[in-house]
Amino acid sequence: MPTGVALRDVREQLFDAADRVLLRDGPAALTSRAVTAEAGVSKGVVHRHFPDFDAFLAEFVLDRVDRMDARAAALRESAGTGTVVDNLTDALTAVFGSVAVAVVALITFRDDLRARLRETWPVGVPVLTDAASMIATYLAAERDLGRLTADAVVEGLAPTLIGTGHLLFADRTGPPPDRDAVRRMVDSVVAGSLPR
Amino acid sequence: MPTGVALRDVREQLFDAADRVLLRDGPAALTSRAVTAEAGVSKGVVHRHFPDFDAFLAEFVLDRVDRMDARAAALRESAGTGTVVDNLTDALTAVFGSVAVAVVALITFRDDLRARLRETWPVGVPVLTDAASMIATYLAAERDLGRLTADAVVEGLAPTLIGTGHLLFADRTGPPPDRDAVRRMVDSVVAGSLPR
DNA sequence: TTGACGAGTGGGCGCTTGCCCACTATTACT
DNA sequence: AGTAATAGTGGGCAAGCGCCCACTCGTCAA
């Protein structure tokens, strides 16, 4: 077997499998056996690439948030056309429609995992920071923000959208919220915060 | 043994034990054995009062949110003095300093439990509704709300506070956020939404 | 006093979890 | 071709889970 390259391939393979398990069965079902079975490899493979399963989870979360950040950056590039509400709706759908909510649920649920993540990640829940800066960039690009500075958005409006979006998308057992529902939420939140 | 009264006593006893386990060890540690051990009763006692442990969890969550609502009502009574920021800070501390965050984490984590709760609870995460109406009552009592109607608060500002508060209080492994930290968050959020 | 009933007990079953470890298969180097 | 190294396999372990059920024991009615 190739030494360096294949080693990283297996890790990616396991991460992708974790994504599918997370989206299909929820964070409670994210066990080492479920991940390896989904990846189509032997169950012992995790402990060759990671000291233990919690270490796998920690690296998985870090990797996924990095990818979310990249996706947010890509959205920033393509923004500018359309209203701010449309852009925010797209952004929220992209962020919360993905594996992000399950990752947040995982971090919130597992105290020990969160403590482990703090060694690498000094402050709070990283998803908040990433999505907040993303939304702030959106709003800063809009004209006539009035007294609503970008900092105020990060401190106030962004958590609004994240909080509501989180609760809106948290339920994967029911039917997924359609774009109109998300847009309505964004619309009401922005209407209550932006000057007109 | 007395029949009716003691039966409800044991249920309360188990609920109180679940509170302590939840606050001390987190939602991941909330097992039937942990609850019964904390309550100082035999592990078989749960299955005499509830068909299964998930039914216990569902009733526990329903009961706890009812209590949160009662606490919010009590806070509403004593409100009126002090600034809106102070009142909101007290409210958030009362709601999120309790077992509420762990309950939300539980609901977010467990897909099956959430589906079970929906049979009794038709829409979304109830904590959001309760806390939102509570905060809306606070703000409605304040004069000079300007264009910010109570509905807009429920739709916009309340989720802001709940979202940030949730993430602020979600970490029970680190030191708990002091009142000043909460107040600073509330201050920045309100400053970004209320007209001055 | 005695019998029956029901709340409470705890041993144990079946299952799943993370993890260990002896093992095989596949590659790279001499 | 032979050998060493290593990625990958999977049986099996201890621990923990929810749950079942035979059991004890306190309490009332007869």
Side-chain angles (χ1 to χ4, degrees), chain A residues 13-164:
Chain A
Q13 203 173 329
L14 290 173
F15 285 174
D16 289 343
D19 274 339
R20 293 192 294 274
V21 171
L22 221 38
L23 286 171
R24 175 167 24 91
D25 306 322
L30 193 68
T31 66
S32 69
R33 279 171 145 93
V35 170
T36 50
E38 177 69 31
V41 295
S42 171
K43 63 184 163 67
V45 120
V46 174
H47 297 92
R48 183 167 293 274
H49 295 278
F50 303 90
D52 52 33
F53 187 65
D54 283 355
F56 166 81
L57 286 181
E59 287 207 39
F60 168 70
V61 169
L62 288 170
D63 185 82
R64 271 356 182 202
V65 173
D66 279 348
R67 280 181 39 168
M68 283 165 51
D69 194 40
R71 195 180 316 189
L75 278 169
R76 261 179 240 125
E77 297 288 330
S78 64
T81 62
T83 67
V84 63
V85 173
D86 283 326
N87 288 338
L88 285 175
T89 303
D90 290 339
L92 269 186
T93 305
V95 172
F96 286 105
S98 70
V99 80
V101 169
V103 168
V104 172
L106 202 62
I107 298 175
T108 309
F109 190 79
R110 289 275 309 270
D111 292 19
D112 51 342
L113 179 62
R114 201 167 51 241
R116 197 164 186 160
L117 279 174
R118 182 160 315 108
E119 298 169 9
T120 309
W121 233 320
V123 176
V125 179
V127 178
L128 179 68
T129 308
D130 284 349
S133 65
M134 177 185 70
I135 295 172
T137 306
Y138 274 122
L139 291 183
E142 296 287 318
R143 285 173 297 277
D144 196 21
L145 272 184
R147 57 175 170 72
L148 200 68
T149 65
D151 281 350
V153 169
V154 174
E155 296 280 333
L157 183 59
T160 303
L161 295 171
I162 291 167
T164 48

Side-chain angles (χ1 to χ4, degrees), chain B residues 93-174:
Chain B
T93 305
V95 171
F96 286 104
S98 70
V99 79
V101 169
V103 168
V104 172
L106 201 61
I107 299 175
T108 309
F109 190 78
R110 289 275 309 270
D111 291 19
D112 51 342
L113 178 62
R114 201 166 53 241
R116 198 164 186 160
L117 279 174
R118 181 159 316 108
E119 297 169 10
T120 310
W121 234 321
V123 176
V125 178
V127 177
L128 180 67
T129 308
D130 285 348
S133 65
M134 177 184 71
I135 294 172
T137 306
Y138 273 122
L139 290 183
E142 296 285 319
R143 285 172 296 276
D144 197 22
L145 273 184
R147 56 173 171 75
L148 200 68
T149 65
D151 279 350
V153 169
V154 174
E155 295 278 334
L157 182 60
T160 303
L161 296 171
I162 291 166
T164 50
H166 178 60
L167 294 171
L168 202 62
F169 283 101
D171 192 356
R172 293 179 312 282
T173 58

